[in-house]
C-alpha cells in the first residue's frame, strides 16, 4: 500500500527544496520519480518520439539550473511543465528554422535508427506503432492531455492543474482527442491496405 | 451525429475515463439500457482507452540511458575528474616547456628583446692642487659594455590546494660583456 497523496506531495516538495539547495542526490531521486510524466509532456509537444531523449536532457539541465527561480514550491509541477513545454517548443522551432534554411529533409525528419532499435527492443508491436502514430497525428493541444491521461492515469483535475487551464478545457480537449483517435484508427492503415492488395 | 448524440458520446468518453459524477452516471446508464448502439460505442471507447494506455506504456518501457542525466548533475565529482585528466598531461608539459625556455630562450632574447644600451660613464679626471704632480689617468671608454634585457618568465607552481598555477613575471637581466681596451695612459698636463 502506497503513501497517502498528501504525504507524497510533502515528500516531493522536500525534494524540490533540496534541489534548490543544489543537492544532486535529491535531483537524481526526483528525476526517477517524475521522469515518466515529464517525458510524456515533451513527447506531447514534439509529437515525435525520436527527439524526446535529446530534449529531455535539456529539460533536466534547465530544471537544475533554474530551480532558484521557482517561487512557490507548491506549484512545482506547473513550473516543471512550463520548463519542459518551452524546451520542447524551442526544439520544434529550431527544427522548423532549419527546414527553412535547408531544402530537403533535415536530420530531425529522418527516423533515428537508434530510437527505432529501442522501440523494437521494447517489443512495440505493429498495433502499438499504429496507435502511437495516431496519437502523434493529433494536434498538439489534444495530444498533450491524451498522453498525460493515458501514460500517468491522471485525473482531468490534475492535468488541468499542471497545464494551468480550467478543468472544462481539459475535458473538452480529451473528448475531441478521443473522437479523433477513434476516427483515425477506424480507417484501414496503409499496411492493412497493402496486405489486402497482396491477398488479391 | 446530432448534438444530443455528441453529448452522450462525451458522457461515454468521460465515463471510460472515470470522470462522471453520480447524476451523470445515472443519466448515461439510462441511455445505455435504452439504446444498444450506445453500448457498442462504449465498448469501442473502452477498447481504444486500453489500446492507448498499452501503446504509451510500451513506448515508456523501452530502454533509456538514464546515466547521462545523472552524470551531468554530479558537478563537483565530474569537474575534479576532468581536472585530474588535464593535470596528468599538463604538468609534465609545463615542466618540459619551462626547461626548453630556460635552455634556448636566453640566446634569442639577447638579440631581439628590449635591448637598451647603458651610457658609459664619462672619463674621470682627478682634481689636484697646482703644487701636486699630475697623476697618470686612464683616458678613454670603459672596458666593458653593459646591456639590460627585459624578458617574460613563465613559472609553474603547485599550490597548497593542489592546483597548478602559472605565474608570468617580467625579469630584467643586466649583461656585461668585455670590450677591447681603448684607453691610453697620459698625463693631463700633456707630458
Amino acid at each position: 500500500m502506497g503513501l497517502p497523496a498528501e504525504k507524497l506531495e510533502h515528500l516531493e516538495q522536500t525534494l524540490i527544496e533540496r534541489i534548490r539547495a543544489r543537492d544532486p542526490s535529491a535531483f537524481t531521486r526526483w528525476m526517477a520519480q517524475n521522469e515518466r510524466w515529464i517525458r510524456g509532456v515533451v513527447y506531447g509537444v514534439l509529437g515525435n518520439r525520436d527527439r524526446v531523449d535529446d530534449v529531455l536532457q535539456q529539460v533536466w539541465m534547465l530544471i537544475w539550473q533554474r530551480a532558484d527561480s521557482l517561487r512557490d514550491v507548491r506549484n512545482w509541477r506547473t513550473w516543471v511543465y512550463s520548463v519542459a513545454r518551452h524546451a520542447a517548443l524551442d526544439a520544434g522551432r529550431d527544427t522548423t528554422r532549419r527546414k527553412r534554411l535547408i531544402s530537403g529533409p533535415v536530420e530531425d525528419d529522418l527516423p533515428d535508427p537508434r530510437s527505432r532499435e529501442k522501440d523494437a527492443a521494447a517489443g512495440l508491436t505493429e498495433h502499438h506503432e499504429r496507435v502511437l502514430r495516431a496519437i502523434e497525428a493529433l494536434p498538439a493541444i489534444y495530444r498533450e492531455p491524451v498522453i498525460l491521461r493515458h501514460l500517468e492515469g491522471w485525473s482531468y483535475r490534475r492535468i488541468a492543474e499542471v497545464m494551468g487551464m480550467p478543468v472544462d478545457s481539459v475535458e473538452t480537449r480529451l473528448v475531441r482527442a478521443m473522437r479523433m483517435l477513434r476516427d483515425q484508427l477506424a480507417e484501414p492503415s496503409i499496411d492493412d491496405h497493402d496486405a489486402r492488395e497482396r491477398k488479391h | 451525429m446530432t448534438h444530443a448524440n455528441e453529448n452522450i458520446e462525451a458522457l461515454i468518453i468521460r465515463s471510460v475515463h472515470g470522470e462522471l459524477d453520480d447524476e451523470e452516471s445515472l443519466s448515461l446508464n439510462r441511455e445505455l439500457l435504452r439504446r444498444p448502439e450506445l453500448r457498442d460505442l462504449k465498448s469501442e471507447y473502452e477498447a481504444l482507452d486500453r489500446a492507448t494506455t498499452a501503446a504509451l506504456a510500451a513506448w515508456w518501457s523501452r530502454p533509456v540511458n538514464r546515466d547521462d542525466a545523472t552524470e551531468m548533475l554530479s558537478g563537483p565529482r565530474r569537474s575534479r575528474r576532468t581536472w585530474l585528466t588535464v593535470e596528468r598531461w599538463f604538468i609534465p608539459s609545463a615542466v618540459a616547456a619551462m626547461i626548453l625556455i630556460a635552455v634556448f630562450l636566453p640566446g634569442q632574447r639577447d638579440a631581439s628583446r628590449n635591448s637598451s644600451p647603458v651610457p658609459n660613464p664619462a672619463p674621470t679626471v682627478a682634481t689636484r692642487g697646482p703644487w701636486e704632480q699630475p697623476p697618470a689617468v686612464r683616458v678613454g671608454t670603459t672596458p666593458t659594455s653593459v646591456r639590460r634585457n627585459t624578458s617574460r618568465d613563465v613559472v609553474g607552481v603547485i599550490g597548497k590546494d593542489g592546483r597548478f598555477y602559472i605565474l608570468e613575471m617580467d625579469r630584467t637581466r643586466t649583461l656585461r660583456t668585455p670590450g677591447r681596451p681603448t684607453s691610453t695612459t697620459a698625463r693631463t698636463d700633456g707630458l
Side-chain angles (χ1 to χ4, degrees):
Chain A
M1 192 171 147
L3 291 166
E6 281 181 20
K7 178 82 175 165
L8 270 177
E9 188 57 33
H10 177 70
L11 286 175
E12 295 265 27
Q13 288 181 13
T14 309
L15 279 180
I16 295 287
E17 289 285 8
R18 283 172 57 195
I19 292 165
R20 291 174 76 191
R22 320 301 290 167
D23 179 352
S25 65
F27 194 85
T28 309
R29 199 170 145 200
W30 176 84
M31 273 167 58
Q33 288 174 5
N34 290 278
E35 183 182 352
R36 192 172 160 121
W37 75 267
I38 297 171
R39 182 178 287 271
V41 169
V42 173
Y43 179 32
V45 175
L46 287 175
N48 175 353
R49 273 168 280 163
D50 296 337
R51 299 198 61 204
V52 171
D53 288 348
D54 292 339
V55 177
L56 195 64
Q57 291 292 320
Q58 284 179 310
V59 173
W60 298 137
M61 186 79 87
L62 289 171
I63 291 171
W64 177 250
Q65 286 171 346
R66 296 180 186 172
D68 291 344
S69 67
L70 172 60
R71 287 180 189 162
D72 187 352
V73 178
R74 286 171 299 179
N75 294 334
W76 68 270
R77 271 199 192 83
T78 308
W79 179 79
V80 169
Y81 168 78
S82 173
V83 170
R85 189 167 190 275
H86 282 102
L89 284 172
D90 285 348
R93 270 195 288 269
D94 185 43
T95 308
T96 312
R97 198 162 48 238
R98 281 196 285 160
K99 272 181 189 170
R100 283 200 206 106
L101 293 171
I102 306 166
S103 59
V106 296
E107 190 183 308
D108 300 323
D109 287 343
L110 303 171
D112 180 356
R114 288 171 307 169
S115 179
R116 294 296 177 227
E117 281 167 19
K118 283 180 187 174
D119 285 350
L124 278 180
T125 61
E126 270 183 39
H127 185 62
H128 290 150
E129 271 293 338
R130 192 161 172 237
V131 174
L132 289 175
R133 277 201 297 270
I135 293 170
E136 288 163 15
L138 291 173
I141 58 163
Y142 300 124
R143 198 165 51 221
E144 286 178 58
V146 163
I147 290 174
L148 288 176
R149 163 72 206 161
H150 291 91
L151 190 62
E152 284 291 299
W154 282 359
S155 65
Y156 290 4
R157 190 175 168 180
R158 188 160 202 186
I159 295 170
E161 277 171 12
V162 169
M163 293 181 75
M165 60 172 60
V167 179
D168 289 351
S169 303
V170 172
E171 188 181 302
T172 307
R173 288 185 188 190
L174 274 168
V175 166
R176 283 185 189 163
M178 293 306 282
R179 274 186 196 139
M180 283 187 229
L181 278 179
R182 180 171 163 261
D183 291 345
Q184 279 191 54
L185 293 169
E187 289 170 8
S189 69
I190 295 168
D191 297 340
D192 294 343
H193 180 76
D194 289 349
R196 274 201 304 275
E197 286 291 310
R198 277 196 297 272
K199 267 188 186 175
H200 289 296
Chain B
M1 190 180 272
T2 64
H3 184 67
N5 281 347
E6 277 187 13
N7 281 344
I8 290 172
E9 192 182 9
L11 278 180
I12 287 171
I13 292 168
R14 287 174 52 214
S15 158
V16 169
H17 288 162
E19 294 280 343
L20 291 188
D21 59 30
D22 292 345
E23 197 180 324
E24 288 169 328
S25 285
L26 277 173
S27 165
L28 178 64
N29 284 337
R30 272 199 298 269
E31 288 295 324
L32 290 175
L33 285 170
R34 214 161 48 88
R35 296 166 62 182
E37 76 275 14
L38 290 183
R39 290 201 289 276
D40 292 342
L41 187 64
K42 191 184 177 202
S43 300
E44 214 175 311
Y45 273 117
E46 282 169 346
L48 178 61
D49 188 68
R50 282 194 300 273
T52 309
T53 304
L56 285 168
W59 166 71
W60 160 254
S61 64
R62 67 181 203 158
V64 175
N65 183 11
R66 291 176 174 83
D67 294 341
D68 294 348
T70 315
E71 186 69 15
M72 172 192 80
L73 298 166
S74 52
R77 187 160 56 85
R78 188 186 175 96
S79 64
R80 177 69 188 152
R81 198 171 57 211
T82 309
W83 166 245
L84 287 173
T85 311
V86 171
E87 213 172 29
R88 205 173 294 142
W89 63 263
F90 186 73
I91 291 179
S93 306
V95 170
M98 283 190 298
I99 292 168
L100 284 173
I101 289 167
V103 171
F104 293 108
L105 211 58
Q108 291 177 352
R109 278 195 309 229
D110 289 348
S112 61
R113 302 195 65 183
N114 295 337
S115 297
S116 54
V118 179
N120 291 330
T124 53
V125 178
T127 55
R128 63 177 176 87
W131 61 90
E132 286 178 285
Q133 190 71 8
V137 294
R138 293 178 70 84
V139 178
T141 58
T142 53
T144 55
S145 68
V146 179
R147 283 181 180 276
R148 284 184 184 149
N149 295 328
T150 304
S151 60
R152 178 155 292 187
D153 282 3
V154 182
V155 180
V157 179
I158 298 175
K160 284 181 182 175
D161 56 359
R163 291 190 176 185
F164 187 74
Y165 295 93
I166 298 172
L167 307 177
E168 290 188 34
M169 293 182 292
D170 280 337
R171 181 174 288 175
T172 303
R173 290 187 178 87
T174 304
L175 296 176
R176 294 172 195 279
T177 51
R180 269 191 292 173
T182 56
S183 63
T184 54
T185 303
R187 289 187 185 279
T188 53
D189 56 1
L191 296 172

